[in-house]
Every structure is written in C-alpha cells, then in structure tokens.
Amino acid sequence: MAKIIIAEDGNLRTEIPLNKKRLTIGRAAHNDVVIEHPGISSEHAVIQLQQSDFVLEDLGSTNGTKVNGQPIKRHFLQDGDQIHLAAYGMCFSVDSTISSNGTNAHPTSIYANDAPACIKVLSGVHADKRVLLNKSLITIGKPGIQVAAFVQDIEGYFLLHVEGERSPAVNGQSMTTTQHRLQNGDQVEIDGTKIRFLTTRD
C-alpha cells in the first residue's frame, strides 16, 4: 500500500496510509491531515488516486509545494519522492504492507462502534470542549512556542512533540522522547492547556 511519511524539521515522523481516493492536507480543520503551522495554507495540497497512480496537486497555497526540490503544481508521485510543504517534509512510499506483522492493515478506531477517540479540554476558555480525533493527524498548540500532534496509526493513538523547546507533559511528566503512546484517560498539557485523551464516551 502507498503511504506518506511526514517529518517536521527532520524530527517528526509518522506514517499515513493512502487508503482513500482523495487526501487533503492543510491548516483548516476539515482537511484529512491537519497541520497548524503558519507556513501551511488552509487548503495546501491534495493527493488523489487516478486509476493506478497517486497525483499530488498544490491547491494554490501561499508558500507552494515542492517535490524533490522543484516547485510543482501537479505531479505524478513515484516511490521515494520527497515532498516539502513549508517546514514539513513528506516522503511518498509504496509498500505492500503497513503493519509489522506482514498484513495489509489499515488504521482502525479504538471505539467499539467505529467512532474515533476524542480529547476533552480541562482548562482555559475552552474547558469542557471535546474534539473528535477523526483525522490521521491533528496538531494543537501555538506555532513558535509549543505544538504537539495527536496521530492515529494501526496500534491506536500517540502524541508527537512537533515544535518548541519545552516538551508537552503526559500525566504530569514531560515527554522525554518525540512521541508517546496514549492510553485512555491520559492527561496531556500543551502550551499550558490541560487535555484528557479518551477512547470511551465517558
């Protein structure tokens, strides 16, 4: 299966399988991959399946899209292509498997009824607000200060430290690595805002 591997400033790495015909990337919440970074446009780019090929198209973004160092408007992706959107680098890869056990797996929901997990804001002006984690990658925080991402993969969800000198905290402890596997009820603090990760409807 084809996938994109995302990195930010050479540090953030996560795999997103291209298991749908159209995948949008941008800063706005309605995108399939949400990246809250000032260099990313609201609707920055899209990857579409056309017959047996994946095509990357820039959606008129402010800072443009590059493939292998060259600006593009539309590009038929090849295995190993290096994509750049602002500070974010992505590698297009074609692999027959996604999971480590050799099966052709897809990201699955943790909810028994196929609803995604969610986060509940515990502090600040948005206290008690819930946000469904219904995208492959959702970033939270203030660009330039502290940004983290909630990412879904075949094993569940994990938190990634994207930007900022200070790491996010999980259950009162600062992250010592760039990613942390999340468990139901984990309390996360990002840029002073406390958030609870939930895989049930509690």
Side-chain angles (χ1 to χ4, degrees):
M1 169 164 296
K3 59 188 174 183
I4 54 173
I5 304 170
I6 301 178
E8 195 273 339
D9 289 337
N11 295 316
L12 171 60
R13 297 186 67 84
T14 185
E15 295 183 1
I16 299 177
L18 299 176
N19 53 9
K20 56 190 300 184
K21 290 185 176 181
R22 191 174 191 271
L23 183 138
T24 58
I25 305 168
R27 197 174 68 250
H30 63 262
N31 289 285
D32 298 299
V33 177
V34 179
I35 304 175
E36 291 186 2
H37 187 281
I40 301 294
S41 297
S42 296
E43 296 178 349
H44 198 107
V46 61
I47 298 175
Q48 300 184 78
L49 178 63
Q50 295 187 1
Q51 296 181 343
S52 60
D53 294 315
F54 284 96
V55 180
L56 171 68
E57 183 177 353
D58 183 85
L59 297 177
S61 65
T62 300
N63 292 313
T65 300
K66 293 182 179 180
V67 176
N68 301 326
Q70 299 299 316
I72 63 97
K73 292 297 182 183
R74 194 167 184 269
H75 176 82
F76 282 84
L77 291 167
Q78 303 292 323
D79 187 30
D81 275 351
Q82 299 295 319
I83 306 165
H84 282 90
L85 287 71
Y88 285 79
M90 305 181 187
C91 177
F92 175 76
S93 176
V94 179
D95 193 351
S96 59
T97 62
I98 295 296
S99 66
S100 59
N101 62 7
T103 59
N104 195 357
H106 297 270
T108 56
S109 172
I110 299 177
Y111 281 148
N113 62 356
D114 265 349
C118 73
I119 53 175
K120 180 181 179 181
V121 181
L122 303 178
S123 64
V125 295
H126 298 296
D128 293 328
K129 180 180 179 180
R130 290 178 182 242
V131 178
L132 287 177
L133 299 178
N134 56 358
K135 309 291 183 183
S136 297
L137 182 150
I138 294 179
T139 57
I140 292 178
K142 293 181 180 178
I145 299 176
Q146 190 180 52
V147 179
F150 290 88
V151 182
Q152 184 184 21
D153 65 7
I154 61 175
E155 296 180 10
Y157 292 84
F158 58 92
L159 183 71
L160 288 167
H161 180 200
V162 177
E163 186 178 350
E165 294 183 2
R166 186 167 51 89
S167 298
V170 180
N171 299 325
Q173 300 293 321
S174 294
M175 291 173 55
T176 57
T177 59
T178 57
Q179 66 182 55
H180 177 88
R181 179 66 57 184
L182 292 167
Q183 303 294 326
N184 182 43
D186 277 350
Q187 183 171 305
V188 177
E189 185 171 344
I190 303 170
D191 189 34
T193 300
K194 294 180 179 180
I195 299 167
R196 190 171 303 281
F197 172 76
L198 298 169
T199 59
T200 69
R201 294 191 179 278
D202 296 341

